[in-house]
């Protein structure tokens, strides 16, 4: 089964456990961000290591929840992931949970990818145009990809707007039925 499909089901279930309450969901998101940080610093390897028993994995997650005073929904969710051997999916689940939270709050996340950092006034212009078009507050995340020749890629949800030189050349060749 597709990893994003599985992760999206868990992300939606976590959102439902918050009762679609923004404050509770924000608290869960902060707690999951902390777990995600630990995940990148070794928790992920521990959860995937067969040398650790199920009880030991549960104990690590329970201690993490106790130390940081996680709400009950976060605690139960982490233990559920451990019990079902889904902790390796945690980063994907967290990413999709944040997207659910953004939707709940009427925000959209936009990724702008360019060959070099863009000036803040251009980013502000992109934000304004995207907010006008979609009617939602936009969170702009800028990424730099030195492989791009020029232009930008803009990703809004699952839509991709290709304004790169490579994309322009590819579309031009397609119109002329040329295959490069």
């Amino acid at each position: 089964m597709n990893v994003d499909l599985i992760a999206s089901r868990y992300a939606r279930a976590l959102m439902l456990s918050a009762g679609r309450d923004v404050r509770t969901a924000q608290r869960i998101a902060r707690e999951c961000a902390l777990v995600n940080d630990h995940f990148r610093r070794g928790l992920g390897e521990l959860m995937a290591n067969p040398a650790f028993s199920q009880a030991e994995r549960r104990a690590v997650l329970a201690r993490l929840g106790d130390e940081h005073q996680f709400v009950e929904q976060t605690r139960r969710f982490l233990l559920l992931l451990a019990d079902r051997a889904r902790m390796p999916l945690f980063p994907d689940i967290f990413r999709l949970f944040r997207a659910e939270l953004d939707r709940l709050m009427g925000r959209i996340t936009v990724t702008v990818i360019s060959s070099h950092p863009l000036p803040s006034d251009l980013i502000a212009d992109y934000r304004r145009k995207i907010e006008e078009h979609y009617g939602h507050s936009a969170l702009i995340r800028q990424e730099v990809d030195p492989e791009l020749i020029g232009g930008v890629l803009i990703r809004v949800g699952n839509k991709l707007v290709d304004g790169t030189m490579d994309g322009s050349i590819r579309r031009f060749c397609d119109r002329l039925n040329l295959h490069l």
Side-chain angles (χ1 to χ4, degrees):
M1 193 176 267
N2 183 337
V3 170
D4 266 0
L5 178 63
I6 296 169
S8 69
R9 289 178 180 173
Y10 280 97
R12 280 194 308 275
L14 183 57
M15 180 58 74
L16 288 173
S17 78
R20 300 195 70 76
D21 175 66
V22 173
R23 284 187 183 199
T24 303
Q26 286 175 320
R27 170 107 188 241
I28 292 170
R30 283 191 303 273
E31 293 168 354
C32 286
L34 191 133
V35 172
N36 198 50
D37 185 49
H38 281 280
F39 202 87
R40 278 185 268 140
R41 292 188 286 142
L43 180 63
E45 291 172 19
L46 183 143
M47 290 293 143
N49 189 334
F52 292 97
S53 70
Q54 189 69 16
E56 290 170 318
R57 290 182 186 123
R58 286 179 61 89
V60 167
L61 293 171
R63 193 169 117 214
L64 185 63
D66 290 343
E67 286 177 7
H68 297 284
Q69 301 175 343
F70 287 173
V71 293
E72 191 61 27
Q73 294 95 322
T74 306
R75 291 172 189 263
R76 285 194 324 258
F77 185 74
L78 292 173
L79 295 176
L80 173 74
L81 293 179
D83 290 344
R84 295 194 177 168
R86 296 295 193 193
M87 276 308 288
L89 297 177
F90 185 80
D92 295 311
I93 294 168
F94 176 53
R95 174 180 51 85
L96 294 168
F97 178 77
R98 282 190 323 198
E100 290 275 335
L101 178 58
D102 287 341
R103 274 192 290 281
L104 180 63
M105 297 179 70
R107 297 185 303 208
I108 55 174
T109 301
V110 179
T111 305
V112 177
I113 306 167
S114 60
S115 61
H116 59 282
L118 298 174
S120 58
D121 59 331
L122 184 57
I123 294 293
D125 190 40
Y126 285 150
R127 176 180 290 112
R128 184 183 52 75
K129 289 178 181 176
I130 290 166
E131 287 175 348
E132 284 175 10
H133 184 268
Y134 286 94
H136 294 289
S137 173
L139 299 171
I140 306 287
R141 198 176 90 227
Q142 186 176 0
E143 293 180 9
V144 174
D145 181 358
E147 297 289 316
L148 291 178
I149 295 172
V152 296
L153 284 170
I154 300 176
R155 182 176 297 122
V156 182
N158 62 354
K159 295 181 182 175
L160 183 68
V161 178
D162 188 350
T164 63
M165 288 298 293
D166 186 49
S168 295
I169 292 168
R170 194 172 43 256
R171 287 187 297 277
F172 180 72
C173 289
D174 286 347
R175 279 190 229 132
L176 296 176
N177 290 322
L178 297 174
H179 302 287
L180 296 179

